[in-house]
């Protein structure tokens, strides 16, 4: 297995067969349907493309940024390796027709927000030199038509919007792999009670308590456009908090995260940073 994929498995403490589902949990998207569903196959191809990127050479978000640059929505310099990865991702869906695009959009739990971004990106690319002030309205009309029509009644604009939205979704998965494989979490022994995860560790002779619980003010999340067999459970958001010392304790928290698994991983990365002196409570 490629080095990035191996490191991701170690950092998340999962076996290779469960890595894709773990990365989906980190990103906040439901896992694609089980094999041999095309969405799972395409996700696997994307992870293989991202796995070939050199360790430490990119920042999380670089691959997603490329999709915006290539769509004309962002003016920024992107590292050549991330551009190459984005091209590989695009090749996985470039030649697909409406029926196959719908299968992937359905399997990746695409939302109206995803489709709106895709419609905006496809219109921006088409009108790069002469943007139209009515593009936002046109993009919403495209989204409505995609959701209401069967794929056999999609036109070019509908397919282009779905294709662009898939670029972004798949790039996001690649960025999650980059982040996880470059991270250095400190493994903690977690216990769970009343849906709250707790752990503790000693840093500099001081006990640090770590708590992962539901976020107090979770952001609203959009449901998939088409029914998905395993949507995110209740769209629950999570947060972590670290405290230290027996009295007058300092504390720091962060969130929201899309899953308890994601919050736990982020907390373990925060503990590593604390132990290394890169941050403080």
């Amino acid at each position: 297995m490629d080095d990035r994929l191996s490191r991701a498995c170690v950092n998340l403490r999962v076996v290779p067969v469960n890595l894709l589902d773990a990365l989906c949990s980190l990103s906040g998207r439901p896992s694609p349907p089980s094999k041999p569903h095309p969405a799972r196959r395409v996700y696997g191809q994307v992870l293989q493309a991202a796995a070939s990127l050199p360790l430490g050479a990119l920042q999380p978000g670089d691959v997603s940024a490329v999709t915006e640059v290539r769509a004309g929505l962002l003016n920024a310099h992107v590292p050549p390796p991330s551009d190459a990865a984005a091209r590989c991702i695009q090749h996985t869906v470039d030649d697909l027709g409406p029926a196959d695009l719908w299968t992937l959009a359905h399997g990746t739990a695409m939302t109206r927000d995803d489709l709106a971004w895709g419609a905006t990106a496809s219109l921006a690319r088409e009108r790069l030199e002469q943007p139209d002030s009515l593009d936002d309205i046109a993009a919403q009309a495209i989204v409505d038509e995609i959701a209401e029509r069967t794929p056999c009644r999609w036109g070019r604009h509908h397919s282009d919007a779905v294709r662009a939205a898939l670029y972004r979704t798949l790039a996001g998965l690649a960025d999650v792999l980059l982040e996880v494989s470059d991270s250095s979490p400190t493994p903690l022994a977690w216990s769970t009670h009343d849906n709250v995860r707790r752990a503790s560790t000693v840093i500099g002779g001081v006990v640090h308590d770590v708590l992962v619980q539901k976020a107090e003010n979770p952001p609203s999340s959009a449901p998939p456009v088409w029914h998905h067999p395993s949507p995110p459970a209740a769209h629950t958001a999570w947060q972590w908090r670290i405290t230290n010392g027996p009295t007058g304790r300092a504390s720091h928290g962060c969130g929201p995260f899309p899953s308890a698994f994601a919050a736990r991983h982020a907390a373990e990365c925060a503990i590593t940073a604390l132990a290394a002196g890169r941050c403080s409570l």
Side-chain angles (χ1 to χ4, degrees):
M1 190 166 53
D2 295 287
D3 192 34
R4 273 196 184 274
L5 298 179
S6 298
R7 286 174 60 101
C9 287
V10 171
N11 291 342
L12 295 177
R13 302 197 294 283
V14 298
V15 295
V17 71
N18 293 333
L19 178 59
L20 173 55
D21 295 326
L23 294 174
C24 288
S25 180
L26 289 179
S27 70
R29 284 190 178 272
S31 298
S34 58
K35 292 181 179 179
H37 195 277
R40 189 166 286 269
R41 174 180 54 79
V42 170
Y43 271 14
Q45 293 174 342
V46 169
L47 293 183
Q48 289 294 334
S52 65
L53 296 172
L55 289 165
L58 298 174
Q59 296 294 319
D62 278 352
V63 182
S64 295
V66 173
T67 64
E68 299 205 26
V69 170
R70 293 172 67 84
L73 299 177
L74 179 67
N75 182 16
H77 170 74
V78 293
S82 60
D83 186 64
R87 289 178 183 273
C88 289
I89 289 171
Q90 291 186 7
H91 289 334
T92 64
V93 295
D94 273 346
D95 297 327
L96 298 180
D100 290 328
L101 289 173
W102 178 86
T103 298
L104 285 182
H106 173 247
T108 56
M110 191 163 288
T111 68
R112 291 184 70 91
D113 289 343
D114 295 327
L115 290 175
W117 188 95
T120 300
S122 62
L123 290 172
R125 186 168 53 247
E126 183 177 279
R127 302 169 181 169
L128 189 58
E129 295 183 1
Q130 291 184 324
D132 193 322
S133 60
L134 298 178
D135 277 355
D136 287 344
I137 297 176
Q140 286 302 319
I142 291 173
V143 171
D144 291 340
E145 291 167 356
I146 291 171
E148 294 167 1
R149 298 181 182 183
T150 57
C152 64
R153 296 181 57 225
W154 286 357
R156 179 175 60 83
H157 283 118
H158 307 114
S159 295
D160 285 349
V162 175
R163 192 174 285 112
L166 284 169
Y167 294 159
R168 187 189 190 208
T169 297
L170 297 174
L173 179 67
D175 279 324
V176 172
L177 176 62
L178 295 184
E179 180 177 5
V180 169
S181 56
D182 279 338
S183 66
S184 301
T186 297
L188 299 176
W190 295 91
S191 62
T192 302
H193 181 68
D194 288 340
N195 219 15
V196 175
R197 281 76 168 166
R198 298 178 184 274
S200 63
T201 188
V202 178
I203 301 175
V206 177
V207 175
H208 286 64
D209 295 318
V210 190
L211 182 75
V212 167
Q213 60 187 0
K214 292 182 179 179
E216 296 176 359
N217 298 300
S220 58
S221 55
V225 175
W226 302 282
H227 172 74
H228 192 278
S230 56
H235 303 288
T236 303
W238 298 79
Q239 61 188 12
W240 59 256
R241 179 162 295 279
I242 300 173
T243 59
N244 67 4
T247 59
R249 300 191 296 180
S251 69
H252 180 68
C254 188
F257 296 92
S259 64
F261 182 72
R264 190 195 74 183
H265 174 72
E268 292 181 339
C269 290
I271 287 293
T272 300
L274 281 171
R278 296 197 300 269
C279 63
S280 60
L281 295 183

